[in-house]
Amino acid sequence: MKPNRPKSRSRRRFLLGGLAATGALIVGWGLYPVRQRLYTSDPLPVSGGAVAFNGWVAIAPDGSVAVAMPRAEMGQGVHTALPMLVAEELDVPLAVTRLTQAPIDKIYSNVALLREVLPLHPDDLGKMKDGVQWVLAKAGRELGIIFTGGSTSVKDAWEPMREAGAMARAMLVAAAAAQWKVPAGECRTVDGFVLHGTDKRAAYGDLVRAAATIEIKPADVRLKDPKDFKLIGQAVARRDSPAKVTGGAQFGIDARPEGMLYAAVAMAPSVGATVATVDASKAKAMPGVLDVVDFSAALSQPCGAGAGVAVIAKSWWQAHQAVSALKVSWKEGEAAHLSSEEVFREFGKVLDDSSGFTYYSRGDMDAAAQAARTVQAEYRAPYLAHATMEPINCTAQVKDGKVRLWVSTQVPSVAVDAAARVGGVAHDQVELHMLLLGGGFGRRLEGDMVEQAVAIAAQAKGAPVQVIWSRENDITHDVYRPAALARFKAALDANGKLLAWESHSVSASIGHQYYPRALRMPGLGPDKTAAEGLYDMQYEIPNQKIGHVISESPVPVGYWRSVGHSHNAFFKEAFLDEVAQAANQDPVELRRALLARHPRHLAVLNAAVAQAGTPPPGRAHGVTLHQSFGSVVAEVAEVSVEAKTIHVHRVVCAIDCGLVVNPNIVRQQMESSVIFALSAALAGEATFKDGRVQQSNYHDYPVVRMGEAPEVETIIMPSSAPPEGVGEPGVPPLAPAVAQAVFKLTGQRLRALPLRLA
């Protein structure tokens, strides 16, 4: 097949700009099929005599199978789940597969992510929605953004990686059949061998060279029927766990290129501040210090890193100590007086003055005028930092017209773009080494650490430099989950039936900042993530109006695990509990009544409630349901309150995420989601005063410790539908479930995050 050459940058900018503004592209272009995702533009790099069968699979003479890995492993298990897709269709044991870093090529772009970028309601089925998503999928293939996020890794790989394995298997079978002079249809494959009858058997490794010369049309490749799966669906142990337990795993912070130096950084203390003057004399006289660099001018967009000065030294501790000796004076920016209180005051004014964009409406909201009772409430959520266990870091070398990177990133294509731009080299002169991520949660979708490291390394006379942020740098220079404010109104008839539901919310737009900052594309139009979890609910309320106002903010905001769902699910589910109380109905029964035409959601809810049973004396259950990233999750939180301290003892989760590739990973991700969400629900808050973040480390930005972690039980609902998201859907239901249980125990309605009793 003829290689596809990458489109120009201007083409990429046009595509996403058009999508964001109108939700569609040129109709004629949209009619063409999505381009292939099997073959890279240049041959897949191989070694050890291996033969590349396509852009995903290469097989060596010893029978080992190299699988190209375009997604980042940040604890979610993709280094196990994605090779399972190839191994299943190729008919080899998972143990013979090994991972090789995928090159920067458009076949690895995240098509599933862009396919769902527009605010389309899950219940809106039909040709228009199918057509829009078809065009979006095409755009995702053309844009070439290699992106790990949005709970899409398995979802996006489900077809291309299985097709790659199936095609390689078909080529191997054809090669064996040709050697034996038998029909290919009479051959079968088992554990890396092609068999015919009882007397013919050939190992894949012995067939690779002959097989590579055989042409198989993609249209002629048949994927397995799920009933024939042998590996997919099995609880296979994580392949990355042993190295992480023994310390052999290599994270970004473990990079050790020869001759490496270290850098610590002093960054602007307030939002938008810049360097005025630097007195580095004392720092330069300290042991091990080699240079002091003002890297501010090299950073092309405002981001978490912001302006600053770096100390380059022989060890990171020497650099860190010397940073404290720097005398930097700062020029305050326009946000010098920014405070969280001011942000929420402005949010209130915005909601008073603007109706914003209507993301979803149905029925006739005038029905509310006939209501016997109206329920109203206001909810708020703070800025949140990511607080990953591995602090921000990047190692870079600028030498001989090339840039080399050793980095933990969720977006290798963005990292390469950033390195090329700051390093002043062509994209093909950037060498990227992808390492494991010690937590991502959306923070490593940014390129600020790459820009900063390359700018500093450019002053290091060709030596590689590892930039490591202190935890204080990390918490105070994040790209934060946006703060948000939401107002709700519900109308009930005389019998307590819910007639109408209206929500009106406000927050900054992540997309309006992220697209220009990281992707160099315009951030236009309504941002789906701002209102997700509100406009796309499945509750069968006859009259609805869901509006949101984007309020631009000087605070850098970014994607945070489960994005808008993380707070909007709390708003929506907590308010529904208030409606249930006003209607004198049990919250679970009200949800059941509102899901009569949604059997999938109802089944998930019932499964969680049944397994949770009855809470012990002194405890209460809170029950919530939420759909996000294609999956439906119900959670039951078992809670007690002691001296105004909220304790969560047990959480029962039920999830319908479509067909499950590895149930072991699904359970791990649900447990991870609960702990992550509980940290935010009980303590997560980044507050601003005088343009400065007030929190700085885990002592005042706490996360759940082992002794505080609840028991988590996961129910995986059987399904034959294609896989949906898993890494994030367990986060949104937790906070409202805890809040509901607290209300049962105390009678207090907690309408703000984090949850604190008065």
Side-chain angles (χ1 to χ4, degrees):
M1 183 173 292
K2 185 178 180 180
N4 293 302
R5 307 309 302 177
K7 294 291 183 184
S8 68
R9 184 191 266 312
S10 60
R11 168 76 164 169
R12 187 165 93 173
R13 186 177 292 115
F14 163 74
L15 286 173
L16 195 57
L19 283 168
T22 67
L25 295 175
I26 300 170
V27 173
W29 177 77
L31 294 176
Y32 288 100
V34 178
R35 285 206 283 175
Q36 61 84 23
R37 295 185 69 190
L38 281 175
Y39 299 101
T40 48
S41 301
D42 298 311
L44 186 69
V46 294
S47 60
V51 174
F53 282 71
N54 47 58
W56 300 88
V57 177
I59 304 176
D62 64 0
S64 61
V65 179
V67 178
M69 178 52 60
R71 303 292 174 249
E73 177 59 80
M74 49 189 175
Q76 81 279 38
V78 292
H79 280 192
T80 302
L82 299 195
M84 289 176 68
L85 304 180
V86 171
E88 177 68 72
E89 295 291 349
L90 187 55
D91 265 347
V92 296
L94 185 61
V96 307
T97 64
R98 59 180 179 84
L99 302 181
T100 183
Q101 181 180 322
I104 302 298
D105 192 280
K106 290 188 176 184
I107 73 163
Y108 307 119
S109 55
N110 194 323
V111 170
L113 185 78
L114 197 64
R115 186 175 183 270
E116 299 178 2
V117 75
L118 292 180
L120 303 174
H121 197 285
D123 287 351
D124 288 343
L125 305 176
K127 292 182 178 179
M128 187 184 78
K129 180 179 179 181
D130 291 344
V132 169
Q133 291 191 328
W134 172 263
V135 171
L136 288 167
K138 282 176 56 61
R141 168 62 176 80
E142 297 303 317
L143 291 172
I145 301 171
I146 302 173
F147 188 109
T148 304
S151 297
T152 55
S153 291
V154 169
K155 186 174 182 175
D156 182 70
W158 178 245
E159 287 188 1
M161 292 191 80
R162 289 175 61 212
E163 287 171 354
M167 173 165 281
R169 175 181 173 274
M171 293 166 70
L172 291 161
V173 167
Q179 287 184 13
W180 298 330
K181 296 182 173 53
V182 299
E186 294 181 1
C187 298
R188 65 189 191 280
T189 55
V190 177
D191 291 339
F193 291 88
V194 181
L195 309 173
H196 182 267
T198 59
D199 60 338
K200 292 183 176 63
R201 175 185 176 95
Y204 283 0
D206 296 332
L207 296 168
V208 290
R209 299 210 173 276
T213 65
I214 294 176
E215 284 194 26
I216 298 287
K217 293 181 180 179
D220 294 336
V221 175
R222 295 291 179 266
L223 299 179
K224 287 185 180 180
D225 189 301
K227 67 180 177 56
D228 297 323
F229 287 161
K230 299 175 182 176
L231 182 59
I232 291 176
Q234 300 304 306
V236 178
R238 287 272 294 272
R239 304 177 77 193
D240 55 331
S241 295
K244 290 178 177 177
V245 171
T246 62
Q250 295 292 298
F251 294 86
I253 207 168
D254 297 318
R256 293 294 183 271
E258 185 178 354
M260 188 181 81
L261 303 175
Y262 295 84
V265 291
M267 293 190 286
S270 62
V271 175
T274 56
V275 176
T277 63
V278 181
D279 180 353
S281 56
K282 186 177 178 181
K284 286 183 175 181
M286 295 179 70
V289 173
L290 301 173
D291 201 359
V292 174
V293 177
D294 182 346
F295 55 79
S296 307
L299 304 184
S300 51
Q301 287 284 342
C303 56
V309 181
V311 174
I312 303 174
K314 294 179 181 179
S315 76
W316 186 80
W317 184 247
Q318 289 173 330
H320 178 63
Q321 292 293 94
V323 162
S324 301
L326 289 172
K327 293 182 179 179
V328 185
S329 61
W330 304 92
K331 180 181 179 181
E332 298 284 1
E334 295 180 359
H337 301 293
L338 178 75
S339 69
S340 293
E341 290 77 10
E342 177 192 346
V343 168
F344 283 104
R345 281 196 300 271
E346 288 300 314
F347 279 175
K349 292 178 183 178
V350 167
L351 291 186
D352 289 341
D353 298 339
S354 174
S355 60
F357 178 79
T358 300
Y359 281 75
Y360 184 73
S361 65
R362 62 177 294 180
D364 179 9
M365 291 305 294
D366 290 339
Q370 312 300 319
R373 184 172 183 181
T374 299
V375 185
Q376 299 184 67
E378 182 177 280
Y379 289 83
R380 61 189 283 177
Y383 294 105
L384 288 178
H386 294 82
T388 60
M389 292 295 102
E390 180 188 14
I392 292 298
N393 66 88
C394 179
T395 304
Q397 181 181 34
V398 181
K399 184 179 180 181
D400 300 331
K402 295 185 177 182
V403 177
R404 294 176 178 84
L405 292 177
W406 295 262
V407 64
S408 303
T409 179
Q410 294 175 243
V411 277
S413 55
V414 168
V416 169
D417 282 349
R421 184 170 57 249
V422 177
V425 302
H427 284 68
D428 60 4
Q429 296 303 303
V430 177
E431 180 182 303
L432 175 68
H433 300 271
M434 276 276 291
L435 297 162
L436 297 173
L437 284 63
F441 312 132
R443 180 58 181 95
R444 287 178 165 88
L445 291 171
E446 304 290 335
D448 55 346
M449 71 290 291
V450 174
E451 288 195 7
Q452 191 183 82
V454 173
I456 295 168
Q459 304 300 315
K461 301 177 181 178
V465 179
Q466 184 172 96
V467 180
I468 303 175
W469 291 13
S470 66
R471 181 60 63 192
E472 288 75 14
N473 291 150
D474 187 31
I475 298 294
T476 59
H477 293 82
D478 207 339
V479 284
Y480 301 90
R481 197 279 306 271
L485 185 72
R487 292 173 180 168
F488 289 83
K489 182 187 294 185
L492 303 171
D493 69 11
N495 297 317
K497 182 180 178 181
L498 182 53
L499 298 175
W501 175 285
E502 183 174 3
S503 75
H504 189 204
S505 56
V506 57
S507 71
S509 165
I510 298 172
H512 287 190
Q513 288 195 21
Y514 183 80
Y515 284 110
R517 181 174 69 218
L519 304 180
R520 294 316 200 249
M521 303 174 191
L524 304 171
D527 183 349
K528 171 192 173 182
T529 67
E532 62 187 3
L534 296 174
Y535 79 85
D536 47 359
M537 67 175 178
Q538 273 71 52
Y539 293 126
E540 297 154 12
I541 303 168
N543 306 292
Q544 299 180 35
K545 183 178 180 181
I546 315 299
H548 181 84
V549 185
I550 290 175
S551 177
E552 302 299 354
S553 167
V555 175
V557 296
Y559 296 102
W560 190 91
R561 191 175 188 179
S562 75
V563 204
H565 291 285
S566 66
H567 51 277
N568 289 332
F570 168 68
F571 299 161
K572 179 256 297 181
E573 288 292 293
F575 183 65
L576 188 61
D577 292 335
E578 296 203 48
V579 172
Q581 181 190 12
N584 197 29
Q585 295 185 47
D586 177 82
V588 173
E589 292 306 319
L590 176 59
R591 285 171 170 80
R592 285 172 172 154
L594 295 175
L595 294 170
R597 295 188 297 278
H598 288 81
R600 178 188 179 209
H601 299 71
L602 190 58
V604 171
L605 176 65
N606 288 339
V609 171
Q611 180 150 324
T614 303
R619 300 180 183 179
H621 281 172
V623 182
T624 51
L625 177 81
H626 192 73
Q627 178 171 341
S628 61
F629 307 96
S631 294
V632 181
V633 176
E635 291 183 2
V636 181
E638 187 170 295
V639 177
S640 69
V641 174
E642 182 180 0
K644 296 185 179 180
T645 300
I646 300 169
H647 300 282
V648 180
H649 305 275
R650 177 187 178 218
V651 177
V652 176
C653 312
I655 179 170
D656 183 338
C657 56
L659 192 149
V660 173
V661 173
N662 188 330
N664 182 46
I665 291 176
V666 174
R667 293 187 181 94
Q668 290 172 355
Q669 283 300 286
M670 295 303 291
E671 292 165 6
S672 165
S673 294
V674 166
I675 301 302
F676 187 85
L678 188 57
S679 295
L682 299 184
E685 185 177 29
T687 57
F688 285 82
K689 183 179 180 181
D690 297 328
R692 291 159 167 79
V693 178
Q694 300 301 289
Q695 294 72 27
S696 63
N697 209 317
Y698 290 126
H699 71 284
D700 54 7
Y701 195 91
V703 296
V704 168
R705 308 300 172 98
M706 290 182 68
E708 303 166 312
E711 176 187 0
V712 180
E713 302 170 30
T714 301
I715 306 162
I716 302 174
M717 306 297 289
S719 176
S720 58
E724 296 287 355
V726 172
E728 296 169 279
V731 173
L734 192 280
V738 174
Q740 183 190 126
V742 169
F743 174 75
K744 290 180 180 178
L745 292 167
T746 67
Q748 289 189 46
R749 284 287 180 198
L750 303 182
R751 299 187 179 96
L753 293 172
L755 302 172
R756 293 178 179 137
L757 286 165

